[in-house]
Amino acid sequence: MGRKIFVSYKYADDKVKKLSVWGLTTVRDYVDKFEKVLEESDNIYRGESDGEDLRDYSEDTIWKMLKDRIFDSSVTVVFISPGMKEDNLQDKDQWIPWEISFSLKETSRKTKSGDSVRVSHTNAMLAVVLPDENGSYAYYLEQLNCCKGQCIQHHTGKLFKIIKNNKFNRSKNSLKKTCEHGTVWSGTCSYIEAVKWEDFIGDYEKYINNAIERRDCIDEYEICKSID
């Protein structure tokens, strides 16, 4: 059975590896490639309003603009890219944090007939890290040689706060130790786990299923649903 997937991404970010020798590659091109590999029974919900300014909108208005895209989805995939964040804007003035926030919230609304209520539960979540212009993932996922564990450092400062707060947030059944760089987590440790694009696109169903398994054990995580 196909799943409804919402994709959150920075449409015009061109600080990513080229997918073709011709023209400019943006994150939208990666979304297009992902869409093509989805089975016909799957649906993809796209965040198209990349250039729209949120500063003059109330939270209620933003919700109305997003609810039809997110309400019926069960999985949200956020594409992490080098130019995802605009440093001159607060998180609340950019689209991705709102999309993540509403994906994590439980919401309800009346059916068209008005005689019943539909409930949208917290989405399964996954972060897909795109390669930068040089084909490297180190701007976010950096391989370290500090110990035998071959640690991978997540540069969470590159993320919006709501994504960062849902990283390394497993409060039950978590495995961790320390090394010279600090805390080292093992296994599944984040509600929003991160995967490299090259791994994801080769076997996306595995990573989507893993995200759904995390949602099914959501009580093991300290979920942050707020942008602030």
Side-chain angles (χ1 to χ4, degrees):
M1 180 178 178
R3 297 188 175 93
K4 295 181 179 180
I5 301 171
F6 178 84
V7 180
S8 181
Y9 64 101
K10 180 67 175 177
Y11 187 108
D13 184 7
D14 60 359
K15 299 177 181 179
V16 290
K17 181 181 178 180
K18 282 183 171 293
L19 292 175
S20 170
V21 295
W22 306 105
L24 186 70
T25 293
T26 68
V27 175
R28 175 66 224 187
D29 295 304
Y30 282 87
V31 176
D32 288 341
K33 189 167 183 178
F34 175 42
E35 188 175 4
K36 288 179 182 178
V37 303
L38 289 174
E39 296 178 356
E40 292 183 1
S41 59
D42 286 328
N43 296 292
I44 181 169
Y45 289 78
R46 301 184 295 271
E48 298 286 1
S49 302
D50 171 71
E52 197 164 354
D53 193 341
L54 300 183
R55 284 173 288 184
D56 295 329
Y57 294 129
S58 68
E59 183 171 340
D60 287 342
T61 300
I62 294 170
W63 167 237
K64 290 176 181 178
M65 300 169 76
L66 292 175
K67 66 179 181 180
D68 289 332
R69 306 178 202 169
I70 298 176
F71 187 87
D72 287 326
S73 64
S74 60
V75 180
T76 295
V77 178
V78 55
F79 280 17
I80 306 300
S81 57
M84 177 178 67
K85 287 180 62 177
E86 294 187 40
D87 293 333
N88 60 322
L89 295 177
Q90 296 183 53
D91 284 12
K92 65 183 180 65
D93 295 326
Q94 301 181 63
W95 277 104
I96 291 176
W98 285 103
E99 291 169 342
I100 301 305
S101 177
F102 287 126
S103 294
L104 289 168
K105 290 179 178 179
E106 292 191 358
T107 57
S108 61
R109 64 182 184 183
K110 291 184 178 180
T111 58
K112 290 182 179 180
S113 63
D115 57 4
S116 61
V117 174
R118 293 182 60 200
V119 177
S120 176
H121 298 287
T122 298
N123 276 13
M125 300 287 300
L126 174 66
V128 176
V129 183
L130 303 184
D132 67 14
E133 294 166 296
N134 299 314
S136 173
Y137 296 93
Y139 71 93
Y140 179 69
L141 295 172
E142 183 182 2
Q143 181 73 55
L144 303 178
N145 296 312
C146 55
C147 61
K148 294 181 180 179
Q150 296 183 325
C151 302
I152 297 177
Q153 182 173 359
H154 292 240
H155 292 281
T156 56
K158 300 285 186 180
L159 304 175
F160 291 106
K161 186 176 179 180
I162 191 170
I163 303 176
K164 179 180 179 180
N165 287 345
N166 287 292
K167 297 290 297 177
F168 308 107
N169 63 331
R170 189 170 186 175
S171 58
K172 298 179 182 178
N173 303 316
S174 59
L175 299 174
K176 53 187 175 181
K177 61 180 182 179
T178 58
C179 78
E180 62 184 85
H181 285 277
T183 302
V184 179
W185 296 74
S186 300
T188 302
C189 52
S190 303
Y191 190 71
I192 305 181
E193 288 281 352
V195 58
K196 293 180 180 179
W197 162 259
E198 61 190 42
D199 296 326
F200 172 76
I201 200 62
D203 192 3
Y204 77 92
E205 288 183 299
K206 179 180 79 171
Y207 296 101
I208 294 294
N209 289 335
N210 289 345
I212 291 171
E213 289 179 6
R214 293 194 297 275
R215 184 193 61 192
D216 292 343
C217 299
I218 196 169
D219 62 328
E220 295 186 1
Y221 299 86
E222 296 180 0
I223 303 297
C224 172
K225 301 181 182 183
S226 173
I227 292 174
D228 296 328

